[in-house]
Amino acid sequence: MWNTFRCGILLTFIAAVTSALVAADDVGDQPFTIGSEIVRPWGKIKVGQDAVEFHVESLPESRTLTFPRLNNEMKRLYIKDRPSPSDELRFTPLIETWQIAIDQKSEFSSGVIIFETKQPIRWSDEPVVVSASEDHSVVLPARHAETHGELLRYEPQPHKNTVGYWANAKDWMEWRFTVETVGEFEIEVLQGCGKGHGGSEVSVSVAEQTLKFVVEDTGHFQNFVPRRIGAVTIDSAGQQTLQVRAISKAKGAVCDIRQIRLLPVVK
C-alpha cells in the first residue's frame, strides 16, 4: 500500500510540473469570471453561473484542458449530450490549476465538455473571508482553504470535497473568517484518515491560541468523522485567521479535512 501511495505522489509531482507548463499556455491572463469567454488555440472556455464549458474545436495534442482552481465543489463532469459520467474523462486537481484529460482510447476530438459546480463559479484568485452564521457559528469548508506547500490542495470531486494530499508534513492550510459576537468557541474538525495511517499530531491555531489533536484512523481518507478538539476564546470582533499544521506525520499522509466549525459555547 505504501509503495502504491509513494508512486501516486511521484506521479502527482510529475503531473504538477507538466501542468505548470501546460497551464501557462492554456489559461493565460484573461479573467476567469462568470460570463467570461476565453479563446484558446483548441477552442473556447465559456464560464457560466455554475458551469465551465470547454468548446473544443480541435483537441490539443496533450489531450488535456487546464483551467484555474475554483472555490467550488464539483457537481459532475461530462461530455454534452452524454450526461452520464464517462471513463473517457479524467479529472486531476492540482494546487493552482485543475485539469481534464481525455483518454487516449476515446474517440472524442471535438465537442463540448461541461464541468458543473454546486455553487456559483468563483475563481480562487483572492482568499475567501467566511462570515459567521445567524447562530454565530462559523463553518469553514474545504473549498475556501488556502493551502501552502508542495502537495497540499483542495480536491473538489463529490466523493472527496476535501483538503488532501497531505503527504508533506511541512505543508499547511488556513482559513479567513469574521465574527461579530465574541466569546468562547468550540472547534470541530471533520477529518478522514486511511486505514493504517492514523496517529499524526495536528495543531489548530486561532486568536493566538493553539489546540492539538491526534488524527484518528477512520478506515478511509474520505470517511469523515467530526472531532471536537477543545475551545478557544475570541475576544475581538472582525477578521480572524485559523491555521492548521502538522506537528508530526505518523505514516504516509497526515489526514484529509473536509470542514472545520467554530461553535459558540453557551453558558
Side-chain angles (χ1 to χ4, degrees), residues 175-193:
W175 284 264
R176 303 170 195 240
F177 65 96
T178 59
V179 293
E180 296 180 359
T181 301
V182 300
E184 191 176 10
F185 292 81
E186 190 169 16
I187 305 294
E188 179 187 87
V189 180
L190 192 58
Q191 66 113 118
C193 182

PDB file of all heavy atoms in Angstrom, residues 175-193:
ATOM      1  N   TRP A 175      -7.721  29.353   6.929  1.00  0.00           N
ATOM      2  CA  TRP A 175      -8.976  29.976   6.536  1.00  0.00           C
ATOM      3  C   TRP A 175      -9.052  31.368   7.132  1.00  0.00           C
ATOM      4  O   TRP A 175      -8.487  31.629   8.192  1.00  0.00           O
ATOM      5  CB  TRP A 175     -10.168  29.179   7.072  1.00  0.00           C
ATOM      6  CG  TRP A 175     -10.507  27.917   6.361  1.00  0.00           C
ATOM      7  CD1 TRP A 175     -11.454  27.760   5.375  1.00  0.00           C
ATOM      8  CD2 TRP A 175      -9.978  26.606   6.615  1.00  0.00           C
ATOM      9  NE1 TRP A 175     -11.527  26.439   5.003  1.00  0.00           N
ATOM     10  CE2 TRP A 175     -10.635  25.709   5.743  1.00  0.00           C
ATOM     11  CE3 TRP A 175      -9.003  26.107   7.483  1.00  0.00           C
ATOM     12  CZ2 TRP A 175     -10.353  24.345   5.729  1.00  0.00           C
ATOM     13  CZ3 TRP A 175      -8.703  24.755   7.466  1.00  0.00           C
ATOM     14  CH2 TRP A 175      -9.377  23.886   6.596  1.00  0.00           C
ATOM     15  N   ARG A 176      -9.767  32.261   6.471  1.00  0.00           N
ATOM     16  CA  ARG A 176     -10.055  33.598   6.993  1.00  0.00           C
ATOM     17  C   ARG A 176     -11.554  33.682   7.275  1.00  0.00           C
ATOM     18  O   ARG A 176     -12.363  33.200   6.473  1.00  0.00           O
ATOM     19  CB  ARG A 176      -9.642  34.678   5.996  1.00  0.00           C
ATOM     20  CG  ARG A 176      -8.154  34.604   5.613  1.00  0.00           C
ATOM     21  CD  ARG A 176      -7.839  35.532   4.460  1.00  0.00           C
ATOM     22  NE  ARG A 176      -6.541  35.218   3.880  1.00  0.00           N
ATOM     23  CZ  ARG A 176      -5.515  36.060   3.810  1.00  0.00           C
ATOM     24  NH1 ARG A 176      -5.637  37.271   4.295  1.00  0.00           N
ATOM     25  NH2 ARG A 176      -4.389  35.677   3.253  1.00  0.00           N
ATOM     26  N   PHE A 177     -11.917  34.317   8.367  1.00  0.00           N
ATOM     27  CA  PHE A 177     -13.336  34.425   8.712  1.00  0.00           C
ATOM     28  C   PHE A 177     -13.557  35.656   9.582  1.00  0.00           C
ATOM     29  O   PHE A 177     -12.604  36.258  10.099  1.00  0.00           O
ATOM     30  CB  PHE A 177     -13.817  33.163   9.440  1.00  0.00           C
ATOM     31  CG  PHE A 177     -13.186  32.931  10.784  1.00  0.00           C
ATOM     32  CD1 PHE A 177     -13.813  33.341  11.954  1.00  0.00           C
ATOM     33  CD2 PHE A 177     -11.948  32.294  10.891  1.00  0.00           C
ATOM     34  CE1 PHE A 177     -13.232  33.129  13.204  1.00  0.00           C
ATOM     35  CE2 PHE A 177     -11.362  32.072  12.134  1.00  0.00           C
ATOM     36  CZ  PHE A 177     -12.002  32.496  13.291  1.00  0.00           C
ATOM     37  N   THR A 178     -14.796  36.036   9.735  1.00  0.00           N
ATOM     38  CA  THR A 178     -15.146  37.172  10.589  1.00  0.00           C
ATOM     39  C   THR A 178     -16.185  36.738  11.618  1.00  0.00           C
ATOM     40  O   THR A 178     -17.027  35.884  11.347  1.00  0.00           O
ATOM     41  CB  THR A 178     -15.712  38.356   9.782  1.00  0.00           C
ATOM     42  OG1 THR A 178     -16.885  37.925   9.065  1.00  0.00           O
ATOM     43  CG2 THR A 178     -14.683  38.883   8.802  1.00  0.00           C
ATOM     44  N   VAL A 179     -16.102  37.365  12.792  1.00  0.00           N
ATOM     45  CA  VAL A 179     -17.122  37.155  13.828  1.00  0.00           C
ATOM     46  C   VAL A 179     -17.596  38.514  14.308  1.00  0.00           C
ATOM     47  O   VAL A 179     -16.840  39.480  14.350  1.00  0.00           O
ATOM     48  CB  VAL A 179     -16.566  36.340  15.022  1.00  0.00           C
ATOM     49  CG1 VAL A 179     -16.246  34.920  14.596  1.00  0.00           C
ATOM     50  CG2 VAL A 179     -15.339  37.000  15.634  1.00  0.00           C
ATOM     51  N   GLU A 180     -18.868  38.583  14.628  1.00  0.00           N
ATOM     52  CA  GLU A 180     -19.434  39.802  15.191  1.00  0.00           C
ATOM     53  C   GLU A 180     -19.630  39.675  16.688  1.00  0.00           C
ATOM     54  O   GLU A 180     -19.631  40.665  17.415  1.00  0.00           O
ATOM     55  CB  GLU A 180     -20.774  40.124  14.514  1.00  0.00           C
ATOM     56  CG  GLU A 180     -20.650  40.434  13.021  1.00  0.00           C
ATOM     57  CD  GLU A 180     -21.996  40.740  12.398  1.00  0.00           C
ATOM     58  OE1 GLU A 180     -23.006  40.697  13.127  1.00  0.00           O
ATOM     59  OE2 GLU A 180     -22.040  41.012  11.184  1.00  0.00           O
ATOM     60  N   THR A 181     -19.810  38.430  17.143  1.00  0.00           N
ATOM     61  CA  THR A 181     -20.016  38.162  18.558  1.00  0.00           C
ATOM     62  C   THR A 181     -18.784  37.482  19.128  1.00  0.00           C
ATOM     63  O   THR A 181     -18.328  36.462  18.600  1.00  0.00           O
ATOM     64  CB  THR A 181     -21.244  37.247  18.757  1.00  0.00           C
ATOM     65  OG1 THR A 181     -22.395  37.883  18.208  1.00  0.00           O
ATOM     66  CG2 THR A 181     -21.471  36.979  20.231  1.00  0.00           C
ATOM     67  N   VAL A 182     -18.215  38.051  20.164  1.00  0.00           N
ATOM     68  CA  VAL A 182     -17.011  37.477  20.763  1.00  0.00           C
ATOM     69  C   VAL A 182     -17.397  36.479  21.849  1.00  0.00           C
ATOM     70  O   VAL A 182     -18.550  36.409  22.276  1.00  0.00           O
ATOM     71  CB  VAL A 182     -16.105  38.578  21.350  1.00  0.00           C
ATOM     72  CG1 VAL A 182     -15.672  39.535  20.265  1.00  0.00           C
ATOM     73  CG2 VAL A 182     -16.825  39.322  22.473  1.00  0.00           C
ATOM     74  N   GLY A 183     -16.411  35.694  22.267  1.00  0.00           N
ATOM     75  CA  GLY A 183     -16.659  34.717  23.311  1.00  0.00           C
ATOM     76  C   GLY A 183     -15.909  33.431  23.067  1.00  0.00           C
ATOM     77  O   GLY A 183     -14.922  33.391  22.312  1.00  0.00           O
ATOM     78  N   GLU A 184     -16.384  32.361  23.694  1.00  0.00           N
ATOM     79  CA  GLU A 184     -15.721  31.069  23.600  1.00  0.00           C
ATOM     80  C   GLU A 184     -16.347  30.241  22.479  1.00  0.00           C
ATOM     81  O   GLU A 184     -17.570  30.199  22.332  1.00  0.00           O
ATOM     82  CB  GLU A 184     -15.846  30.325  24.936  1.00  0.00           C
ATOM     83  CG  GLU A 184     -14.961  29.090  25.028  1.00  0.00           C
ATOM     84  CD  GLU A 184     -15.035  28.445  26.394  1.00  0.00           C
ATOM     85  OE1 GLU A 184     -15.906  28.843  27.208  1.00  0.00           O
ATOM     86  OE2 GLU A 184     -14.225  27.534  26.675  1.00  0.00           O
ATOM     87  N   PHE A 185     -15.483  29.592  21.703  1.00  0.00           N
ATOM     88  CA  PHE A 185     -15.933  28.769  20.593  1.00  0.00           C
ATOM     89  C   PHE A 185     -15.280  27.385  20.677  1.00  0.00           C
ATOM     90  O   PHE A 185     -14.067  27.274  20.856  1.00  0.00           O
ATOM     91  CB  PHE A 185     -15.553  29.392  19.243  1.00  0.00           C
ATOM     92  CG  PHE A 185     -16.279  30.671  18.925  1.00  0.00           C
ATOM     93  CD1 PHE A 185     -15.847  31.888  19.460  1.00  0.00           C
ATOM     94  CD2 PHE A 185     -17.384  30.672  18.089  1.00  0.00           C
ATOM     95  CE1 PHE A 185     -16.503  33.070  19.163  1.00  0.00           C
ATOM     96  CE2 PHE A 185     -18.047  31.859  17.786  1.00  0.00           C
ATOM     97  CZ  PHE A 185     -17.605  33.059  18.322  1.00  0.00           C
ATOM     98  N   GLU A 186     -16.105  26.355  20.520  1.00  0.00           N
ATOM     99  CA  GLU A 186     -15.564  25.006  20.462  1.00  0.00           C
ATOM    100  C   GLU A 186     -15.177  24.709  19.014  1.00  0.00           C
ATOM    101  O   GLU A 186     -15.890  25.092  18.081  1.00  0.00           O
ATOM    102  CB  GLU A 186     -16.586  23.991  20.955  1.00  0.00           C
ATOM    103  CG  GLU A 186     -16.002  22.599  21.144  1.00  0.00           C
ATOM    104  CD  GLU A 186     -16.942  21.661  21.889  1.00  0.00           C
ATOM    105  OE1 GLU A 186     -18.146  21.984  21.979  1.00  0.00           O
ATOM    106  OE2 GLU A 186     -16.463  20.625  22.379  1.00  0.00           O
ATOM    107  N   ILE A 187     -14.043  24.051  18.822  1.00  0.00           N
ATOM    108  CA  ILE A 187     -13.537  23.746  17.484  1.00  0.00           C
ATOM    109  C   ILE A 187     -13.880  22.300  17.132  1.00  0.00           C
ATOM    110  O   ILE A 187     -13.572  21.374  17.885  1.00  0.00           O
ATOM    111  CB  ILE A 187     -12.016  23.931  17.394  1.00  0.00           C
ATOM    112  CG1 ILE A 187     -11.611  25.346  17.852  1.00  0.00           C
ATOM    113  CG2 ILE A 187     -11.535  23.658  15.969  1.00  0.00           C
ATOM    114  CD1 ILE A 187     -12.105  26.449  16.968  1.00  0.00           C
ATOM    115  N   GLU A 188     -14.511  22.120  15.985  1.00  0.00           N
ATOM    116  CA  GLU A 188     -14.840  20.779  15.484  1.00  0.00           C
ATOM    117  C   GLU A 188     -14.171  20.577  14.122  1.00  0.00           C
ATOM    118  O   GLU A 188     -14.386  21.363  13.197  1.00  0.00           O
ATOM    119  CB  GLU A 188     -16.345  20.608  15.342  1.00  0.00           C
ATOM    120  CG  GLU A 188     -16.760  19.243  14.802  1.00  0.00           C
ATOM    121  CD  GLU A 188     -18.241  19.172  14.514  1.00  0.00           C
ATOM    122  OE1 GLU A 188     -18.642  19.562  13.384  1.00  0.00           O
ATOM    123  OE2 GLU A 188     -19.007  18.761  15.408  1.00  0.00           O
ATOM    124  N   VAL A 189     -13.367  19.541  14.007  1.00  0.00           N
ATOM    125  CA  VAL A 189     -12.656  19.226  12.773  1.00  0.00           C
ATOM    126  C   VAL A 189     -13.282  17.984  12.149  1.00  0.00           C
ATOM    127  O   VAL A 189     -13.408  16.949  12.809  1.00  0.00           O
ATOM    128  CB  VAL A 189     -11.156  18.966  13.035  1.00  0.00           C
ATOM    129  CG1 VAL A 189     -10.433  18.635  11.747  1.00  0.00           C
ATOM    130  CG2 VAL A 189     -10.523  20.172  13.724  1.00  0.00           C
ATOM    131  N   LEU A 190     -13.708  18.089  10.889  1.00  0.00           N
ATOM    132  CA  LEU A 190     -14.250  16.941  10.161  1.00  0.00           C
ATOM    133  C   LEU A 190     -13.088  16.304   9.400  1.00  0.00           C
ATOM    134  O   LEU A 190     -12.680  16.797   8.357  1.00  0.00           O
ATOM    135  CB  LEU A 190     -15.349  17.406   9.205  1.00  0.00           C
ATOM    136  CG  LEU A 190     -16.227  16.328   8.567  1.00  0.00           C
ATOM    137  CD1 LEU A 190     -16.937  15.488   9.628  1.00  0.00           C
ATOM    138  CD2 LEU A 190     -17.247  16.954   7.622  1.00  0.00           C
ATOM    139  N   GLN A 191     -12.545  15.228   9.952  1.00  0.00           N
ATOM    140  CA  GLN A 191     -11.316  14.635   9.412  1.00  0.00           C
ATOM    141  C   GLN A 191     -11.516  13.188   8.971  1.00  0.00           C
ATOM    142  O   GLN A 191     -12.345  12.461   9.506  1.00  0.00           O
ATOM    143  CB  GLN A 191     -10.178  14.714  10.427  1.00  0.00           C
ATOM    144  CG  GLN A 191     -10.386  13.880  11.657  1.00  0.00           C
ATOM    145  CD  GLN A 191      -9.465  12.687  11.871  1.00  0.00           C
ATOM    146  OE1 GLN A 191      -8.758  12.669  12.854  1.00  0.00           O
ATOM    147  NE2 GLN A 191      -9.474  11.676  11.004  1.00  0.00           N
ATOM    148  N   GLY A 192     -10.731  12.800   7.957  1.00  0.00           N
ATOM    149  CA  GLY A 192     -10.714  11.421   7.490  1.00  0.00           C
ATOM    150  C   GLY A 192      -9.277  10.951   7.418  1.00  0.00           C
ATOM    151  O   GLY A 192      -8.361  11.751   7.230  1.00  0.00           O
ATOM    152  N   CYS A 193      -9.079   9.651   7.566  1.00  0.00           N
ATOM    153  CA  CYS A 193      -7.715   9.119   7.522  1.00  0.00           C
ATOM    154  C   CYS A 193      -7.757   7.663   7.101  1.00  0.00           C
ATOM    155  O   CYS A 193      -8.536   6.865   7.646  1.00  0.00           O
ATOM    156  CB  CYS A 193      -7.042   9.267   8.887  1.00  0.00           C
ATOM    157  SG  CYS A 193      -5.338   8.686   8.910  1.00  0.00           S
TER     158      CYS A 193
END
